[in-house]
Amino acid sequence: MNCQDVAEKLNAYLDGELGPQAAALVREHLEGCAQCAARLRELEGLNRAIGAMQGMPTPAGFARRVRLAAATGIPAEAGPAKWAWGGVLSRVAAMLVAATGIWVGVTLGSTANSVNGYVDAAGLQEDDLDLQVGAVSAAPAESVAAAYLALLDEGE
Amino acid sequence: MLEDEELMMRAAEGDMASFEELVERHQQSALNVAYRFLGDRQLAEDAVQDAFLKLLAAAPRYRPTARFRTYLYNVVWHLCVDVYRKRHPLPLEEVPLGEDPGGGPVQSVEEAERAALVRQAVQELPPRQRMALVLKHFEGLSYEEIGRALDCSSTAVDALLVRAKRRLQERLKELR
């Protein structure tokens, strides 16, 4: 193995990605070549420097926000911790009001249909709140319920 | 403790508690990958949230032919590239020297300076080289796993990393 071959394989060698035979050949070359050994040390130094790049801490409540975003179809934004639940609860409250209004509208609407059960696994279960979208899935075309369903579709 | 693949199957059936557990297990890794790639915490958080939501949406089609983590990194990669394309060049997030940005042990001023130079040089790498570097150095993925995450072969990953390291060495010499 010559120096050019070794130079191409040095990174994979350090990463432990060479097979045993290739790794042995590289090792043998390094023992007898000061230049390639110096290249190896440089690469090791670079790897250490790369390793010093720091990550980021996980924001508090991140998993819960993702779950809520999945349940509501509304991307959750982080905010100061003391207001995070206030923001979520106000959205939930708004949805409850909307759902109640839609329910009333559909029930009293001239083309109201009897509907049963839930929509499929669209997953509007949210913590302890169960929003039954199935009740509005047969809403008339120009109704608020239809507009609400259209909003859900936009969120996908 | 349930395996990731089992949690994913349960999430596909509407089990949101399983979904949340998956998020909790992998959020730190995913955020670190996105942050080291994008250099911005808010962008990283948005990308990772989107990634988990996309995975959940695709859960009914999920087949455990690879580790869940590989799927996650693949989705994070695609979302990060979308952000990169919209915002290139990305502004570098400034990390005050000597301060701990919160992702690791406190560094000395000298270490922080060197880390800032490395971060700048890494941010200048082409996207695929940058992500290959992040996945190798911080997530410990094999070349084969990186290839699956980046939709390329393990030979291509080797070449990406060699080019990335070469660029970094040249750039760091210029920056010093």
Side-chain angles (χ1 to χ4, degrees), chain A residues 11 15 47 56 58 67, chain B residues 20 28 32 45 143 165:
Chain A
N11 192 59
D15 286 344
N47 286 351
M56 64 177 273
T58 300
R67 177 177 171 169
Chain B
E20 190 173 347
Q28 185 64 76
N32 281 337
E45 199 178 322
Y143 285 12
K165 300 283 179 78

Side-chain angles (χ1 to χ4, degrees), chain A residues 3 60 109:
Chain A
C3 291

Side-chain angles (χ1 to χ4, degrees), chain A residues 50 53, chain B residues 29-38 73 122-123 125 127-141 146 161:
Chain A
I50 292 168
M53 273 178 65
Chain B
S29 297
L31 285 164
N32 281 337
V33 165
Y35 175 65
R36 285 177 173 128
F37 181 87
L38 293 167
Y73 290 144
V122 167
Q123 288 293 312
L125 290 174
R128 212 175 274 268
Q129 288 180 22
R130 195 188 316 170
M131 185 57 88
L133 197 84
V134 169
L135 290 176
K136 181 65 212 166
H137 276 267
F138 299 101
E139 303 305 313
L141 267 61
I146 295 171
L161 289 170

